[in-house]
Amino acid sequence: MSYLPLLGILVVVAGFALRLNPMLVVTASALVTGLLAGMGPVEVISAFGKAFNDNRIIAIVWIVLPVIGLLERYGLQQRARAVIGGFRRATAGRLLILYLLYRQITAAIGLHSTAGHPQTVRPLVAPMALAAAEQQHGALTEDEAETVKANAAATDNVGLFFGEDIFFAIGSIVLIQATLSTYGILLAPLELAVWAIPTAIAAFVIHAARLLLLDRRLGRGRT
């Protein structure tokens, strides 16, 4: 067995230590590893192409992120805040509860990428929650604004984490199944997914209560 291909790891370590472009470092490491493993340049490039084709969904990121950036540059956050301004009874807590419900339901049916921190929380959910809080309680302090944004991010995490296990065709379910099987507990993925429903409901109730308490904390001392 030849250990020469492992020199690609040294390329990664050296590249990161020199603070070079991570994409170039990883690409160079892959090239070095392939060549030292006895592959020709054409074979290495072909392997790159096959990996890209097999995982072409990753390319969507390079389309979505610039679009979100352009939308933010031309007033997406401002429009989101203006929309919330039209709902007089909207509060940060109520808005985030609705987002929590949406996140759990979509994650439960396998639509994990329809929302997330870069796609929805930063450009839409957090600005809308801030606008709702300011509408109810007036100008927020810096600490209060950061608390609202943190709760917006946490809501996405809770909704995704406890909702995705209801969708049985996901890696976490397979991991749980494999772990239990080592202890002689044999369960089908569907059985695990069904028992994830009570946990998801409990997570929704608990986090929704925390979000309602957020409204009370923001209103304390302002009435």
Side-chain angles (χ1 to χ4, degrees), residues 162 165-166 173 176 187-201:
F162 290 99
D165 284 345
I166 300 174
I173 289 291
I176 295 170
L187 293 172
L190 182 58
E191 292 177 285
L192 292 171
V194 168
W195 281 103
I197 296 175
T199 307
I201 293 173

Side-chain angles (χ1 to χ4, degrees), residues 69-91:
L70 285 172
L71 289 173
E72 285 196 31
R73 180 181 178 85
Y74 289 99
L76 177 62
Q77 292 191 7
Q78 288 77 7
R79 291 303 306 162
R81 294 171 71 97
V83 168
I84 288 299
F87 297 92
R88 297 300 175 189
R89 295 183 61 82
T91 68

Side-chain angles (χ1 to χ4, degrees), residues 124-220:
L124 288 173
V125 178
M128 292 172 78
L130 285 169
E134 291 172 353
Q135 181 173 270
Q136 295 295 324
H137 309 296
L140 303 178
T141 65
E142 183 178 352
D143 286 344
E144 289 173 332
E146 291 300 318
T147 297
V148 172
K149 289 188 282 187
N151 275 272
T155 297
D156 187 272
N157 290 343
V158 172
L160 176 62
F161 186 85
F162 290 99
E164 65 179 1
D165 284 345
I166 300 174
F167 184 64
F168 60 87
I170 192 170
S172 58
I173 289 291
V174 176
L175 176 62
I176 295 170
Q177 182 189 28
T179 302
L180 290 175
S181 67
T182 62
Y183 295 97
I185 303 173
L186 303 178
L187 293 172
L190 182 58
E191 292 177 285
L192 292 171
V194 168
W195 281 103
I197 296 175
T199 307
I201 293 173
F204 178 86
V205 171
I206 293 170
H207 193 63
R210 294 180 69 246
L211 293 173
L212 292 177
L213 288 175
L214 170 66
D215 283 336
R216 292 185 62 179
R217 289 205 313 272
L218 292 175
R220 192 172 299 157

